[in-house]
mmCIF file of all heavy atoms in Angstrom:
data_model
loop_
_atom_site.group_PDB
_atom_site.id
_atom_site.type_symbol
_atom_site.label_atom_id
_atom_site.label_comp_id
_atom_site.label_asym_id
_atom_site.label_seq_id
_atom_site.Cartn_x
_atom_site.Cartn_y
_atom_site.Cartn_z
ATOM 1 N N ALA A 128 10.465 -9.279 -16.464
ATOM 2 C CA ALA A 128 11.882 -9.535 -16.695
ATOM 3 C C ALA A 128 12.767 -8.400 -16.188
ATOM 4 O O ALA A 128 13.873 -8.667 -15.698
ATOM 5 C CB ALA A 128 12.129 -9.743 -18.187
ATOM 6 N N ILE A 129 12.334 -7.158 -16.285
ATOM 7 C CA ILE A 129 13.186 -6.024 -15.909
ATOM 8 C C ILE A 129 13.566 -6.053 -14.429
ATOM 9 O O ILE A 129 14.736 -5.931 -14.094
ATOM 10 C CB ILE A 129 12.524 -4.679 -16.305
ATOM 11 C CG1 ILE A 129 12.509 -4.567 -17.838
ATOM 12 C CG2 ILE A 129 13.243 -3.504 -15.676
ATOM 13 C CD1 ILE A 129 11.826 -3.332 -18.360
ATOM 14 N N PRO A 130 12.606 -6.224 -13.493
ATOM 15 C CA PRO A 130 13.020 -6.313 -12.083
ATOM 16 C C PRO A 130 13.967 -7.488 -11.810
ATOM 17 O O PRO A 130 14.901 -7.358 -11.019
ATOM 18 C CB PRO A 130 11.706 -6.486 -11.330
ATOM 19 C CG PRO A 130 10.680 -5.913 -12.227
ATOM 20 C CD PRO A 130 11.149 -6.180 -13.608
ATOM 21 N N LYS A 131 13.748 -8.600 -12.485
ATOM 22 C CA LYS A 131 14.608 -9.760 -12.274
ATOM 23 C C LYS A 131 16.026 -9.479 -12.804
ATOM 24 O O LYS A 131 17.005 -9.855 -12.182
ATOM 25 C CB LYS A 131 14.018 -10.992 -12.944
ATOM 26 C CG LYS A 131 12.753 -11.484 -12.263
ATOM 27 C CD LYS A 131 12.156 -12.680 -12.930
ATOM 28 C CE LYS A 131 10.884 -13.111 -12.212
ATOM 29 N NZ LYS A 131 10.284 -14.273 -12.839
ATOM 30 N N LEU A 132 16.100 -8.813 -13.956
ATOM 31 C CA LEU A 132 17.417 -8.446 -14.519
ATOM 32 C C LEU A 132 18.135 -7.473 -13.603
ATOM 33 O O LEU A 132 19.343 -7.626 -13.338
ATOM 34 C CB LEU A 132 17.237 -7.839 -15.916
ATOM 35 C CG LEU A 132 18.508 -7.349 -16.606
ATOM 36 C CD1 LEU A 132 19.427 -8.523 -16.892
ATOM 37 C CD2 LEU A 132 18.155 -6.590 -17.852
ATOM 38 N N LEU A 133 17.408 -6.467 -13.107
ATOM 39 C CA LEU A 133 18.019 -5.520 -12.173
ATOM 40 C C LEU A 133 18.498 -6.221 -10.896
ATOM 41 O O LEU A 133 19.542 -5.868 -10.340
ATOM 42 C CB LEU A 133 17.024 -4.407 -11.824
ATOM 43 C CG LEU A 133 16.699 -3.417 -12.931
ATOM 44 C CD1 LEU A 133 15.576 -2.483 -12.512
ATOM 45 C CD2 LEU A 133 17.935 -2.637 -13.331
ATOM 46 N N GLN A 134 17.739 -7.228 -10.453
ATOM 47 C CA GLN A 134 18.109 -7.970 -9.251
ATOM 48 C C GLN A 134 19.424 -8.734 -9.492
ATOM 49 O O GLN A 134 20.312 -8.708 -8.648
ATOM 50 C CB GLN A 134 17.005 -8.942 -8.865
ATOM 51 C CG GLN A 134 17.256 -9.681 -7.561
ATOM 52 C CD GLN A 134 17.253 -8.769 -6.372
ATOM 53 O OE1 GLN A 134 16.356 -7.971 -6.180
ATOM 54 N NE2 GLN A 134 18.295 -8.858 -5.565
ATOM 55 N N VAL A 135 19.558 -9.366 -10.643
ATOM 56 C CA VAL A 135 20.783 -10.108 -10.965
ATOM 57 C C VAL A 135 21.972 -9.151 -11.063
ATOM 58 O O VAL A 135 23.059 -9.426 -10.545
ATOM 59 C CB VAL A 135 20.603 -10.935 -12.263
ATOM 60 C CG1 VAL A 135 21.917 -11.496 -12.754
ATOM 61 C CG2 VAL A 135 19.584 -12.045 -12.035
ATOM 62 N N LEU A 136 21.770 -8.002 -11.701
ATOM 63 C CA LEU A 136 22.839 -7.005 -11.791
ATOM 64 C C LEU A 136 23.236 -6.486 -10.414
ATOM 65 O O LEU A 136 24.423 -6.282 -10.135
ATOM 66 C CB LEU A 136 22.418 -5.836 -12.692
ATOM 67 C CG LEU A 136 22.300 -6.152 -14.181
ATOM 68 C CD1 LEU A 136 21.698 -4.967 -14.922
ATOM 69 C CD2 LEU A 136 23.644 -6.532 -14.756
ATOM 70 N N TYR A 137 22.244 -6.305 -9.561
ATOM 71 C CA TYR A 137 22.498 -5.847 -8.184
ATOM 72 C C TYR A 137 23.314 -6.875 -7.408
ATOM 73 O O TYR A 137 24.290 -6.541 -6.735
ATOM 74 C CB TYR A 137 21.160 -5.576 -7.501
ATOM 75 C CG TYR A 137 21.234 -5.184 -6.032
ATOM 76 C CD1 TYR A 137 21.709 -3.955 -5.642
ATOM 77 C CD2 TYR A 137 20.806 -6.078 -5.057
ATOM 78 C CE1 TYR A 137 21.741 -3.604 -4.310
ATOM 79 C CE2 TYR A 137 20.856 -5.733 -3.722
ATOM 80 C CZ TYR A 137 21.316 -4.490 -3.363
ATOM 81 O OH TYR A 137 21.367 -4.151 -2.039
ATOM 82 N N TRP A 138 22.909 -8.145 -7.532
ATOM 83 C CA TRP A 138 23.642 -9.208 -6.818
ATOM 84 C C TRP A 138 25.073 -9.348 -7.366
ATOM 85 O O TRP A 138 25.978 -9.694 -6.637
ATOM 86 C CB TRP A 138 22.919 -10.519 -6.942
ATOM 87 C CG TRP A 138 21.733 -10.659 -6.018
ATOM 88 C CD1 TRP A 138 21.447 -9.901 -4.938
ATOM 89 C CD2 TRP A 138 20.686 -11.617 -6.143
ATOM 90 N NE1 TRP A 138 20.276 -10.322 -4.361
ATOM 91 C CE2 TRP A 138 19.787 -11.377 -5.073
ATOM 92 C CE3 TRP A 138 20.411 -12.624 -7.025
ATOM 93 C CZ2 TRP A 138 18.629 -12.126 -4.897
ATOM 94 C CZ3 TRP A 138 19.263 -13.381 -6.838
ATOM 95 C CH2 TRP A 138 18.377 -13.132 -5.770
ATOM 96 N N GLY A 139 25.264 -9.088 -8.641
ATOM 97 C CA GLY A 139 26.605 -9.183 -9.206
ATOM 98 C C GLY A 139 27.483 -7.982 -8.897
ATOM 99 O O GLY A 139 28.680 -8.125 -8.668
ATOM 100 N N SER A 140 26.882 -6.796 -8.870
ATOM 101 C CA SER A 140 27.675 -5.596 -8.665
ATOM 102 C C SER A 140 27.899 -5.233 -7.201
ATOM 103 O O SER A 140 28.923 -4.629 -6.856
ATOM 104 C CB SER A 140 27.042 -4.406 -9.396
ATOM 105 O OG SER A 140 25.778 -4.124 -8.843
ATOM 106 N N ALA A 141 27.000 -5.577 -6.326
ATOM 107 C CA ALA A 141 27.142 -5.210 -4.910
ATOM 108 C C ALA A 141 28.404 -5.756 -4.286
ATOM 109 O O ALA A 141 29.139 -5.023 -3.607
ATOM 110 C CB ALA A 141 25.908 -5.617 -4.122
ATOM 111 N N PRO A 142 28.734 -7.043 -4.448
ATOM 112 C CA PRO A 142 29.989 -7.550 -3.872
ATOM 113 C C PRO A 142 31.224 -6.862 -4.479
ATOM 114 O O PRO A 142 32.186 -6.579 -3.757
ATOM 115 C CB PRO A 142 29.999 -9.049 -4.204
ATOM 116 C CG PRO A 142 28.582 -9.392 -4.461
ATOM 117 C CD PRO A 142 27.953 -8.166 -5.016
ATOM 118 N N LEU A 143 31.165 -6.579 -5.777
ATOM 119 C CA LEU A 143 32.296 -5.908 -6.406
ATOM 120 C C LEU A 143 32.473 -4.492 -5.851
ATOM 121 O O LEU A 143 33.604 -4.046 -5.635
ATOM 122 C CB LEU A 143 32.107 -5.841 -7.937
ATOM 123 C CG LEU A 143 32.161 -7.198 -8.648
ATOM 124 C CD1 LEU A 143 31.830 -7.021 -10.120
ATOM 125 C CD2 LEU A 143 33.518 -7.853 -8.477
ATOM 126 N N LEU A 144 31.369 -3.810 -5.642
ATOM 127 C CA LEU A 144 31.438 -2.466 -5.067
ATOM 128 C C LEU A 144 31.993 -2.507 -3.652
ATOM 129 O O LEU A 144 32.745 -1.613 -3.233
ATOM 130 C CB LEU A 144 30.066 -1.802 -5.096
ATOM 131 C CG LEU A 144 29.551 -1.376 -6.461
ATOM 132 C CD1 LEU A 144 28.107 -0.907 -6.341
ATOM 133 C CD2 LEU A 144 30.423 -0.293 -7.051
ATOM 134 N N LEU A 145 31.648 -3.513 -2.893
ATOM 135 C CA LEU A 145 32.172 -3.638 -1.525
ATOM 136 C C LEU A 145 33.669 -3.964 -1.533
ATOM 137 O O LEU A 145 34.423 -3.454 -0.709
ATOM 138 C CB LEU A 145 31.400 -4.712 -0.766
ATOM 139 C CG LEU A 145 29.986 -4.349 -0.359
ATOM 140 C CD1 LEU A 145 29.273 -5.540 0.248
ATOM 141 C CD2 LEU A 145 29.971 -3.184 0.605
ATOM 142 N N ILE A 146 34.103 -4.807 -2.483
ATOM 143 C CA ILE A 146 35.507 -5.187 -2.556
ATOM 144 C C ILE A 146 36.369 -3.993 -2.969
ATOM 145 O O ILE A 146 37.440 -3.741 -2.395
ATOM 146 C CB ILE A 146 35.700 -6.388 -3.502
ATOM 147 C CG1 ILE A 146 35.051 -7.633 -2.889
ATOM 148 C CG2 ILE A 146 37.167 -6.623 -3.795
ATOM 149 C CD1 ILE A 146 34.966 -8.807 -3.853
ATOM 150 N N PHE A 147 35.898 -3.275 -3.984
ATOM 151 C CA PHE A 147 36.695 -2.183 -4.554
ATOM 152 C C PHE A 147 36.243 -0.801 -4.098
ATOM 153 O O PHE A 147 36.501 0.201 -4.775
ATOM 154 C CB PHE A 147 36.645 -2.273 -6.093
ATOM 155 C CG PHE A 147 37.232 -3.538 -6.644
ATOM 156 C CD1 PHE A 147 36.423 -4.492 -7.208
ATOM 157 C CD2 PHE A 147 38.611 -3.764 -6.550
ATOM 158 C CE1 PHE A 147 36.974 -5.663 -7.712
ATOM 159 C CE2 PHE A 147 39.145 -4.935 -7.047
ATOM 160 C CZ PHE A 147 38.327 -5.895 -7.632
ATOM 161 N N ARG A 148 35.623 -0.705 -2.939
ATOM 162 C CA ARG A 148 35.093 0.589 -2.493
ATOM 163 C C ARG A 148 36.188 1.618 -2.235
ATOM 164 O O ARG A 148 36.003 2.781 -2.490
ATOM 165 C CB ARG A 148 34.182 0.409 -1.300
ATOM 166 C CG ARG A 148 34.864 0.003 -0.018
ATOM 167 C CD ARG A 148 33.854 -0.109 1.129
ATOM 168 N NE ARG A 148 34.520 -0.589 2.320
ATOM 169 C CZ ARG A 148 34.485 -1.839 2.732
ATOM 170 N NH1 ARG A 148 33.794 -2.729 2.072
ATOM 171 N NH2 ARG A 148 35.118 -2.200 3.826
ATOM 172 N N THR A 149 37.326 1.212 -1.686
ATOM 173 C CA THR A 149 38.378 2.190 -1.429
ATOM 174 C C THR A 149 38.957 2.740 -2.733
ATOM 175 O O THR A 149 39.211 3.936 -2.848
ATOM 176 C CB THR A 149 39.514 1.567 -0.572
ATOM 177 O OG1 THR A 149 39.992 0.395 -1.218
ATOM 178 C CG2 THR A 149 39.023 1.245 0.810
ATOM 179 N N GLN A 150 39.137 1.871 -3.733
ATOM 180 C CA GLN A 150 39.639 2.329 -5.020
ATOM 181 C C GLN A 150 38.612 3.273 -5.696
ATOM 182 O O GLN A 150 38.984 4.288 -6.290
ATOM 183 C CB GLN A 150 39.948 1.159 -5.960
ATOM 184 C CG GLN A 150 41.159 0.350 -5.558
ATOM 185 C CD GLN A 150 40.812 -0.762 -4.552
ATOM 186 O OE1 GLN A 150 39.716 -0.802 -3.994
ATOM 187 N NE2 GLN A 150 41.766 -1.645 -4.313
ATOM 188 N N LEU A 151 37.323 2.934 -5.576
ATOM 189 C CA LEU A 151 36.287 3.794 -6.147
ATOM 190 C C LEU A 151 36.251 5.136 -5.428
ATOM 191 O O LEU A 151 36.111 6.182 -6.050
ATOM 192 C CB LEU A 151 34.924 3.110 -6.042
ATOM 193 C CG LEU A 151 34.673 1.943 -6.981
ATOM 194 C CD1 LEU A 151 33.384 1.249 -6.609
ATOM 195 C CD2 LEU A 151 34.610 2.423 -8.420
ATOM 196 N N TYR A 152 36.403 5.114 -4.117
ATOM 197 C CA TYR A 152 36.406 6.341 -3.318
ATOM 198 C C TYR A 152 37.561 7.241 -3.730
ATOM 199 O O TYR A 152 37.397 8.443 -3.925
ATOM 200 C CB TYR A 152 36.468 5.982 -1.831
ATOM 201 C CG TYR A 152 36.503 7.184 -0.920
ATOM 202 C CD1 TYR A 152 35.383 7.973 -0.727
ATOM 203 C CD2 TYR A 152 37.662 7.519 -0.234
ATOM 204 C CE1 TYR A 152 35.397 9.043 0.121
ATOM 205 C CE2 TYR A 152 37.701 8.610 0.628
ATOM 206 C CZ TYR A 152 36.568 9.376 0.789
ATOM 207 O OH TYR A 152 36.593 10.462 1.620
ATOM 208 N N GLU A 153 38.733 6.658 -3.879
ATOM 209 C CA GLU A 153 39.917 7.436 -4.297
ATOM 210 C C GLU A 153 39.747 7.987 -5.707
ATOM 211 O O GLU A 153 40.107 9.131 -5.985
ATOM 212 C CB GLU A 153 41.174 6.580 -4.204
ATOM 213 C CG GLU A 153 41.564 6.235 -2.768
ATOM 214 C CD GLU A 153 42.683 5.206 -2.707
ATOM 215 O OE1 GLU A 153 43.147 4.758 -3.761
ATOM 216 O OE2 GLU A 153 43.048 4.842 -1.572
ATOM 217 N N ALA A 154 39.160 7.211 -6.601
ATOM 218 C CA ALA A 154 38.950 7.655 -7.982
ATOM 219 C C ALA A 154 37.963 8.815 -8.029
ATOM 220 O O ALA A 154 38.166 9.792 -8.752
ATOM 221 C CB ALA A 154 38.440 6.505 -8.835
ATOM 222 N N VAL A 155 36.920 8.759 -7.220
ATOM 223 C CA VAL A 155 35.947 9.850 -7.185
ATOM 224 C C VAL A 155 36.589 11.110 -6.595
ATOM 225 O O VAL A 155 36.369 12.213 -7.083
ATOM 226 C CB VAL A 155 34.695 9.440 -6.363
ATOM 227 C CG1 VAL A 155 33.793 10.620 -6.079
ATOM 228 C CG2 VAL A 155 33.926 8.349 -7.098
#
Side-chain angles (χ1 to χ4, degrees):
I129 291 177
K131 291 179 181 180
L132 177 65
L133 290 173
Q134 185 66 51
V135 169
L136 291 172
Y137 175 72
W138 282 343
S140 63
L143 293 174
L144 289 172
L145 288 173
I146 292 170
F147 298 110
R148 69 179 176 260
T149 54
Q150 290 87 348
L151 288 171
Y152 179 72
E153 291 170 1
V155 169

